[in-house]
Amino acid sequence: MKLETRVLQNLTQQQKLSIRQQQDLKILEMNNQELESWIEEELEKNPLLEFDDAYETGAASHSQQDFDLLLNFVTNEQTLADVLQEQIATCLHPLHKELAEFIINSLDGNGYLQLKDEDIQRMLPQYSLDDIEDTINEIQTFEPAGVCARSLQECLLIQLCFEDIPYSQIAIMIVNFYLKEVSENKLPAIAEALQIPLEDVLQAISLIRSLDPKPGARYATSSAYVNPDMQIVVEENEIHIQMFRKTYGLRLQAPVKDADADTAKYLSQQQKQAEALLSSIEKRNSTIERIMEVIAVVQQDFFLQHGQLKPLNMKDIAAKLSLHESTISRAVSGKSILFEQQIIPLKFFFPARVNEDTSANEVHLRLRSLIDQEDKKKPYSDQKLCDLLKEDGLEISRRTIAKYRDQLKIPAASKRKQF
């Protein structure tokens, strides 16, 4: 076989984004907090950029009341670690502080300890397994009750130990031995196994269900600063859209005159970069505002009458604004509005379409309403819910009903049945 080397020439066409276009897209994706951080960095690097709140032209500068309202959404909530570490100082029993702090900082967002004792010892070999178990047991006495558990079962048992009330002992037995039967709603079987009246089982399970399966979830993961991009104001039955920040207090200073050649070249480059940044911010805000204008028209029933949302997707808006769907997706991601003292993500206004005239949001509401009104001793099956929705003119398959029920965290009929 003869080997040959050939040089082949292929002509391909590629579209590459310029640095300016890449910056436009990057800034378009940023939420307010991310953009403010970016601007702070640029202010440090670029001598021609100047910041002053007086340069702001958005709603935050027009009305001090609006700006004060924004401050209501700055929250300095305590984290779970903050709450637990405060209790280390007031603990009445001897405690290895370093070990306790390590365990506390290892808890997940729900307050559970995922590390095994052996894992902790490998990282802190100066402590014995007994030291580790004793410290975990002590933290489990802290508030919120149920914290530092290694499983759902342990979390519930910890909380029940603090409950010296009727049915708590029965509840402890059920959690210890019959959680699977509870999840399958086999309550008569539990009553028979424990040889107690079904009513006692119902009371104990009611107590179990009042417990918190995620005791750490109520605490902030960090201090939260909710920073919406726009506010929606309704006046005389008209919807007004106001960007909170338009210029972000930025202004371009004039370059120094009579500078030497190297300085003049440097300042010229900085001027171009500053102008590009201001242009990118303006494009970003304009795009977000245009998208919100379309949303306001489509969802005007929501803003004017607190009505249901209508079907809407990003493709619809892209077509109306002659923009690419990916541009709409970038502009919507992470953005939010302030409406009637509530922070609402823009993605909220894009309910999934079920058919031409019905949104998934509407089906969710109707489905929950039917289940709320059902006879709890004879709950509706998914097929029955399908039939009832069909009577309302909503053609939804049984499989879709099951999917929506899961999204609403509503159990199946067998698990909703009450005895």
Side-chain angles (χ1 to χ4, degrees):
M1 180 184 293
K2 186 178 179 181
L3 298 177
E4 294 182 355
T5 302
R6 295 183 180 180
V7 179
L8 301 177
Q9 187 175 26
N10 292 323
L11 182 63
T12 60
Q13 187 176 18
Q14 289 184 320
Q15 182 179 7
K16 291 188 177 181
L17 296 176
S18 67
I19 294 176
R20 178 78 172 267
Q21 290 172 318
Q22 291 176 29
Q23 177 174 280
D24 286 348
L25 291 176
K26 188 171 184 177
I27 288 179
L28 179 62
E29 285 183 306
M30 292 180 183
N31 59 34
N32 256 340
Q33 287 169 269
E34 293 167 338
L35 182 51
E36 287 174 359
S37 297
W38 176 286
I39 288 171
E40 286 178 10
E41 293 176 7
E42 292 299 311
L43 282 165
E44 291 179 3
K45 294 189 294 186
N46 197 320
L48 296 184
L49 274 176
E50 183 181 7
F51 170 81
D52 190 327
D53 274 331
Y55 305 149
E56 179 56 65
T57 58
S61 67
H62 294 163
S63 171
Q64 187 62 36
Q65 183 180 2
D66 293 333
F67 189 71
D68 289 343
L69 185 56
L70 267 183
L71 296 179
N72 292 336
F73 294 94
V74 180
T75 58
N76 293 309
E77 300 175 32
Q78 282 187 306
T79 65
L80 177 63
D82 292 335
V83 171
L84 295 176
Q85 289 191 26
E86 285 178 0
Q87 294 174 71
I88 291 177
T90 59
C91 184
L92 298 178
H93 300 95
L95 200 63
H96 298 289
K97 185 178 179 183
E98 179 189 27
L99 177 58
E101 289 180 347
F102 177 85
I103 292 171
I104 286 170
N105 289 320
S106 299
L107 302 180
D108 66 17
N110 293 323
Y112 284 80
L113 179 63
Q114 304 293 350
L115 294 177
K116 296 180 180 178
D117 291 8
E118 293 77 10
D119 297 329
I120 297 172
Q121 190 182 44
R122 275 196 296 272
M123 289 178 271
L124 296 175
Q126 65 270 39
Y127 298 106
S128 68
L129 290 175
D130 286 340
D131 290 335
I132 293 168
E133 190 61 27
D134 289 344
T135 304
I136 291 172
N137 291 338
E138 191 62 40
I139 295 172
Q140 288 178 347
T141 67
F142 290 3
E143 291 291 339
V147 76
C148 204
R150 273 71 64 95
S151 66
L152 172 62
Q153 184 183 47
E154 187 176 29
C155 177
L156 298 177
L157 287 172
I158 292 168
Q159 294 176 68
L160 286 169
C161 288
F162 287 96
E163 296 286 353
D164 186 17
I165 58 175
Y167 305 105
S168 60
Q169 292 304 311
I170 297 174
I172 288 172
M173 293 191 64
I174 290 173
V175 171
N176 263 320
F177 303 108
Y178 301 105
L179 271 185
K180 185 174 184 292
E181 285 77 5
V182 172
S183 69
E184 295 172 352
N185 206 31
K186 295 180 178 178
L187 309 192
I190 297 174
E192 184 178 351
L194 293 176
Q195 297 185 340
I196 59 175
L198 178 60
E199 179 60 31
D200 289 352
V201 173
L202 292 172
Q203 293 288 348
I205 288 177
S206 177
L207 172 58
I208 293 169
R209 286 175 174 158
S210 71
L211 305 176
D212 188 351
K214 299 177 181 180
R218 72 185 80 164
Y219 297 93
T221 54
S222 61
S223 294
Y225 181 14
V226 184
N227 195 350
D229 295 84
M230 296 165 281
Q231 67 174 353
I232 305 299
V233 179
V234 176
E235 293 178 347
E236 297 180 356
N237 217 36
E238 289 187 2
I239 301 170
H240 300 276
I241 302 166
Q242 301 172 341
M243 297 294 295
F244 270 111
R245 307 297 296 268
K246 288 188 175 181
T247 66
Y248 289 83
L250 289 179
R251 186 175 72 168
L252 181 62
Q253 298 185 67
V256 178
K257 293 181 180 180
D258 303 325
D260 59 63
D262 289 342
T263 303
K265 182 180 179 181
Y266 167 75
L267 291 176
S268 176
Q269 292 173 343
Q270 296 300 308
Q271 182 173 0
K272 289 178 182 178
Q273 291 176 12
E275 288 172 348
L277 174 61
L278 294 174
S279 175
S280 295
I281 292 173
E282 185 178 357
K283 287 178 184 177
R284 170 196 183 272
N285 290 343
S286 174
T287 302
I288 295 172
E289 193 167 13
R290 289 173 66 201
I291 290 171
M292 192 63 230
E293 287 171 355
V294 176
I295 291 174
V297 172
V298 175
Q299 309 295 11
Q300 60 179 324
D301 288 349
F302 173 86
F303 292 110
L304 298 179
Q305 302 164 13
H306 300 92
Q308 294 180 358
L309 294 175
K310 293 183 178 178
L312 180 65
N313 58 42
M314 295 184 190
K315 189 175 180 180
D316 298 333
I317 293 188
K320 290 179 183 292
L321 298 180
S322 299
L323 294 171
H324 195 277
E325 190 174 344
S326 65
T327 302
I328 306 300
S329 178
R330 283 188 173 96
V332 168
S333 179
K335 313 306 188 303
S336 59
I337 67 165
L338 176 64
F339 176 62
E340 294 186 346
Q341 299 193 28
Q342 288 187 331
I343 302 291
I344 305 175
L346 281 192
K347 286 188 176 180
F348 170 80
F349 299 104
F350 294 85
R353 190 188 302 272
V354 175
N355 56 43
E356 192 63 29
D357 301 310
T358 309
S359 72
N361 177 268
E362 183 178 347
V363 178
H364 281 178
L365 290 173
R366 182 61 183 136
L367 190 60
R368 182 173 285 284
S369 175
L370 286 171
I371 291 173
D372 286 345
Q373 296 171 22
E374 71 186 358
D375 181 352
K376 299 305 177 185
K377 294 187 177 180
K378 295 180 180 179
Y380 295 135
S381 67
D382 289 346
Q383 184 57 56
K384 179 62 176 177
L385 290 167
C386 187
D387 296 339
L388 291 171
L389 288 173
K390 189 174 182 180
E391 292 176 9
D392 289 345
L394 301 174
E395 293 278 354
I396 311 296
S397 70
R398 185 190 60 77
R399 181 177 294 181
T400 303
I401 293 293
K403 183 182 78 172
Y404 286 171
R405 183 172 48 69
D406 287 342
Q407 290 174 351
L408 293 168
K409 301 188 184 307
I410 297 174
S414 63
K415 296 181 180 179
R416 297 199 307 273
K417 184 175 181 180
Q418 295 182 1
F419 296 90

